[in-house]
């Protein structure tokens, strides 16, 4: 008898606990996360590009109830200060549609992003300094000042083969210009003689 009373009280405890648990279960909330509207890219600094630096910056941030990025923090990076500064400047300009909880705009914490800084190895064009030096070299070659041209080419940092090829191309160009001038004069002479 004692055993059946004990089992009955234990069974009724489970029923009561089950009823309490089932009546306290409800839908807590609906949350829609923030979504990016505009992400301004970080600018690659000239100094970092000139030095051939590459790297990354990992940031965490909060999206406020208006969709603005606030409190950005550098969590980790490759250690290049220019990239860290550029990342912070860029992320502060980002804009999001705010997170929504049960129809109300809220802050969204615990956002993170990694910005990578890589050099494009196939870039076209040249640095201003190189273009200026090239133009000076071209002028020297056009004036047949091969000694000055050789000095300028050496300063440009070209390899020996590149220097030799550039000088040879200029000499060939000069020779072709001279031949063209001779042909023009010969044509004019023969045209005059034929009349």
């Amino acid at each position: 008898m004692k055993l059946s009373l004990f089992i009955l009280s234990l069974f009724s405890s489970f029923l009561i606990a089950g009823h309490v648990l089932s009546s306290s279960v409800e839908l807590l909330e609906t949350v829609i996360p923030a979504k990016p509207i505009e992400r301004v890219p970080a600018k690659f600094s000239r100094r970092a590009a000139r030095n051939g630096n590459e790297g990354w910056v990992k940031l965490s941030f909060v999206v406020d109830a208006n969709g603005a990025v606030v409190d950005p923090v550098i969590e980790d990076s490759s250690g290049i200060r220019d990239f860290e500064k550029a990342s912070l400047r860029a992320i502060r300009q980002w804009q999001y549609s705010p997170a929504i909880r049960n129809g109300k705009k809220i802050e969204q914490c615990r956002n993170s992003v990694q910005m990578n800084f890589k050099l494009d190895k196939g870039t076209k064009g040249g640095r201003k300094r190189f273009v200026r030096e090239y133009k000076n070299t071209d002028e020297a070659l056009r004036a047949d000042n091969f000694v000055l041209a050789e000095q300028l080419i050496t300063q440009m940092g070209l390899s020996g083969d590149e220097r030799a090829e550039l000088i040879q191309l200029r000499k060939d160009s000069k020779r072709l210009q001279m031949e063209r001038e001779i042909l023009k004069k010969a044509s004019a002479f023969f045209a005059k003689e034929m009349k």
Side-chain angles (χ1 to χ4, degrees):
M1 172 107 172
K2 287 184 182 182
L3 182 61
S4 62
L5 282 175
F6 174 73
I7 292 175
L8 182 60
S9 71
L10 187 62
F11 182 72
S12 62
S13 296
F14 281 121
L15 286 176
I16 293 170
H19 175 70
V20 170
L21 286 176
S22 66
S23 66
S24 66
V25 174
E26 60 185 68
L27 180 61
L28 296 177
E29 56 192 25
T30 303
V31 177
I32 300 170
K35 292 183 181 147
I37 296 172
E38 181 179 8
R39 285 187 169 178
V40 175
K43 292 184 179 175
F44 210 108
S45 77
R46 286 184 183 177
R47 179 177 33 203
R50 208 175 17 246
N51 293 336
N53 294 339
E54 292 185 333
W56 53 271
V57 178
K58 186 172 183 180
L59 303 118
S60 63
F61 58 96
V62 174
V63 176
D64 72 10
N66 295 318
V69 171
V70 295
D71 302 327
V73 175
I74 296 171
E75 295 290 335
D76 199 5
S77 80
S78 57
I80 298 172
R81 296 273 302 146
D82 285 346
F83 296 154
E84 292 173 356
K85 289 178 186 177
S87 296
L88 287 171
R89 258 186 253 113
I91 202 167
R92 286 185 178 115
Q93 297 176 58
W94 288 11
Q95 188 65 41
Y96 284 77
S97 63
I100 298 175
R101 179 188 307 144
N102 296 330
K104 295 180 183 174
K105 296 178 180 180
I106 60 167
E107 278 190 346
Q108 179 175 304
C109 303
R110 305 180 115 214
N111 301 286
S112 64
V113 68
Q114 180 170 316
M115 295 189 190
N116 297 313
F117 295 84
K118 297 217 180 279
L119 291 170
D120 182 7
K121 304 297 183 192
T123 57
K124 295 179 180 173
R127 297 184 323 263
K128 287 180 183 179
R129 179 179 169 207
F130 177 82
V131 171
R132 184 179 63 246
E133 290 172 351
Y134 177 82
K135 286 180 180 178
N136 291 339
T137 304
D138 185 52
E139 288 173 16
L141 288 169
R142 287 181 189 274
D144 292 332
N145 190 344
F146 297 112
V147 174
L148 176 60
E150 181 65 34
Q151 290 171 348
L152 292 170
I153 289 170
T154 302
Q155 291 173 1
M156 289 172 64
L158 300 176
S159 70
D161 289 341
E162 291 169 327
R163 283 195 307 268
E165 184 178 356
L166 184 59
I167 289 172
Q168 187 60 47
L169 285 171
R170 271 294 163 216
K171 286 179 180 178
D172 291 345
S173 176
K174 187 69 172 179
R175 183 180 48 80
L176 289 171
Q177 285 175 347
M178 288 173 44
E179 288 175 1
R180 188 172 54 213
E181 288 299 318
I182 291 169
L183 287 171
K184 279 183 186 177
K185 288 178 182 178
S187 293
F189 174 78
F190 287 117
K192 190 176 182 184
E193 288 294 317
M194 297 292 262
K195 288 184 180 179

